[in-house]
Amino acid sequence: MAIVVPKLKFSPPQILAIGYATLILLGTVLLMLPVANTTGRALPLIDAFFTATSAVCVTGLVVVDTGTFFNGFGQSVIMVLIQIGGLGFMTMATLLALVFQRRISLRERLLLQEAMNQGSVEGIVRLIRRVLYYSIVIESVGALVFTVRLAFDMPVGQAFYYGVFHSISFFNNAGFDLFGHFSSLTAYTADPVMNLAAVLLIVLGGLGFVVLSDLADLPRKKKLSLHSKLVLSTTGVLIAFGFVVILLFEWSNPGTLGRFGLGGKFWGALLQSVTPRTAGINSVDLTSLHQATQFLLLILMFIGASPGSTAGGVKTTTFAVMIGAMLAMMRGREDVVFFRHRLGRDRILKALTIILLALALIITVAMVLSVTEDHDFMLILFETMSAFGTVGLSLGLTTDLSTFGKILIALTMFSGRVGLLTLVYALKPKKDPEKYRYPEGKIIIG
């Protein structure tokens, strides 16, 4: 069984962009079918396209309620799109090649390197095997926990189906749910089992498979890589910071955490601290949050999770590098140092480029939507940030978007999932080698 790779001379970034676009088009066709929903009528093209894009880009923004509008077939299509989109279509193609014991070519390894955001092809197939193994194990355990808990609220068969769907959705940081009426986990705000399972699935999916592999090897190697240390420390700080701030801001808010006891406040604040990092589920009414809390969620959505994971955003390492560069400049030091390791100049420039590209995209999309959509700017900015970070949280704007707005948000989701640098590399012409360098000049900064 061969991995299907276009014969034309496309670069790895171009193939990845084309592959995700093809998957979205296939999902659009399937979701448009009358047999995919409970109404028996074809879903409009723009709504099917938006839903397929949201699923493939593991976002969770929806224009129709997943649990009540789509039937078992439609929900299964969404679940498969989430799984392929979360792990990457090249990962799934590699699975088929490994099953049929086919050798992975160098070109295919280069594609996997680009898809997994790795620096080299060394060990890439071994990493893919681990990705598939970790995904199966983690999603299976999550599905079992959800099934056992939900069996108290619904028939066992339905509980199993819900368990599988939500385990896949949460681990891939997709945010789709089947609880109906756009309710997400609001019925389980104080439930420790549902919240703990959801938080662990989201965090494990957002750490990145390189970090998971590093953690699995820790008993043998007795140490973690610099990347894993930076990801784990940044993730822990962001979760703790978000938890404390949300708890303080929403403690007495009757529309959110104010109506719960200590347990409900704890789990509600914890989940809402974790989920903006591209998971897209909520256990409290987001529209009732104080604006300060909503703004905090904007920041967390922009940062996102970690490289090589199922999540989006500019990534934790990018954010950490920018903070490190700022602190180094303030201290008058030339090097950005983490855990006694100096970062190369190319890493800092790449982080800066990603931050600026992301800000440029978000600002542009939000400005355009503020012209085309007759809504409060906070709703528009929140929707835009959610789409870019492939988060899926919304303040209620998604269902009211115009056709143009849906297309623009869908393209923003696509940009966030494929990656801005990948899209830039895919669209740019072939680079000619530099034949000379200009003399260094000096300007005044600040």
Side-chain angles (χ1 to χ4, degrees), residues 78-102:
I78 291 173
M79 183 166 57
V80 172
L81 292 177
I82 290 171
Q83 186 70 86
I84 298 176
L87 298 184
F89 74 95
M90 280 305 301
T91 302
M92 304 306 292
T94 304
L95 170 62
L96 295 177
L98 294 175
V99 168
F100 289 94
Q101 299 182 337
R102 179 190 175 276

Side-chain angles (χ1 to χ4, degrees), residues 117-136:
N117 197 20
Q118 295 299 292
S120 70
V121 297
E122 183 181 359
I124 193 67
V125 176
R126 181 172 65 253
L127 175 61
I128 295 300
R129 287 195 181 98
R130 289 193 167 194
V131 166
L132 297 170
Y133 174 75
Y134 296 152
S135 300
I136 292 172

Side-chain angles (χ1 to χ4, degrees), residues 48-80:
F49 169 71
F50 189 95
T51 305
T53 304
S54 185
V56 172
C57 298
V58 289
T59 304
L61 290 174
V62 291
V63 290
V64 293
D65 184 65
T66 309
T68 56
F69 181 83
F70 292 105
N71 57 21
F73 173 74
Q75 293 167 0
S76 298
V77 169
I78 291 173
M79 183 166 57
V80 172

Side-chain angles (χ1 to χ4, degrees), residues 152-185:
F152 289 94
D153 301 333
M154 58 187 68
V156 175
Q158 184 182 6
F160 174 75
Y161 175 66
Y162 272 45
V164 172
F165 184 97
H166 292 101
S167 182
I168 291 175
S169 178
F170 293 175
F171 176 71
N172 288 285
N173 282 225
F176 283 83
D177 72 272
L178 302 179
F179 295 110
H181 309 293
F182 305 99
S183 61
S184 194
L185 290 182

Side-chain angles (χ1 to χ4, degrees), residues 197-440:
V199 165
L200 289 177
L201 285 169
I202 294 167
V203 171
L204 290 174
L207 285 177
F209 294 106
V210 173
V211 177
L212 293 180
S213 180
D214 214 12
L215 289 172
D217 290 337
L218 183 59
R220 178 171 58 87
K221 293 184 176 180
K222 306 300 182 183
K223 66 178 182 178
L224 294 172
S225 66
L226 173 63
H227 172 79
S228 295
K229 290 178 181 178
L230 190 58
V231 165
L232 291 171
S233 58
T234 306
T235 299
V237 169
L238 289 173
I239 291 175
F241 175 75
F243 169 75
V244 171
V245 173
I246 292 172
L247 201 62
L248 290 175
F249 286 176
E250 302 298 322
W251 181 274
S252 58
N253 185 348
T256 56
L257 301 181
R259 58 195 178 92
F260 295 102
L262 185 60
K265 286 180 169 62
F266 174 84
W267 291 113
L270 179 61
L271 185 68
Q272 289 313 134
S273 174
V274 171
T275 191
R277 311 276 310 295
T278 86
I281 59 175
N282 60 285
S283 59
V284 296
D285 181 13
L286 298 181
T287 61
S288 299
L289 292 171
H290 293 306
Q291 281 201 340
T293 309
Q294 293 174 349
F295 191 77
L296 171 66
L297 298 188
L298 283 174
I299 297 173
L300 295 177
M301 289 193 290
F302 180 75
I303 297 171
S306 303
S309 70
T310 60
V314 298
K315 304 297 189 294
T316 52
T317 49
T318 304
F319 172 73
V321 168
M322 285 294 91
I323 295 297
M326 179 188 71
L327 294 177
M329 179 62 67
M330 292 170 63
R331 295 170 180 171
R333 298 178 179 175
E334 292 186 3
D335 296 331
V336 177
V337 178
F338 290 106
F339 300 101
R340 298 183 180 180
H341 285 77
R342 172 176 56 86
L343 296 186
R345 180 171 172 268
D346 63 315
R347 299 293 90 186
I348 301 171
L349 290 177
K350 184 175 182 180
L352 176 62
T353 302
I354 291 173
I355 292 284
L356 292 178
L357 283 174
L359 287 174
L361 175 67
I362 292 165
I363 291 171
T364 302
V365 172
M367 288 177 64
V368 172
L369 288 178
S370 67
V371 175
T372 63
E373 313 299 314
D374 186 20
H375 287 278
D376 183 76
F377 185 72
M378 184 62 175
L379 273 67
I380 292 173
L381 182 60
F382 199 94
E383 194 84 7
T384 304
M385 193 73 79
S386 181
F388 164 75
T390 67
V391 181
L393 296 177
S394 176
L395 297 180
L397 177 60
T398 313
T399 54
D400 293 333
L401 287 171
S402 64
T403 298
F404 177 81
K406 291 175 182 177
I407 294 174
L408 189 56
I409 288 294
L411 292 177
T412 306
M413 289 190 285
F414 182 79
S415 301
R417 181 65 187 102
V418 176
L420 291 175
L421 279 182
T422 300
L423 282 180
V424 170
Y425 293 153
L427 296 174
K428 74 174 183 178
K430 186 177 180 180
K431 182 177 71 172
D432 294 324
E434 295 183 8
K435 298 179 181 179
Y436 55 86
R437 296 180 69 188
Y438 291 100
E440 182 179 345

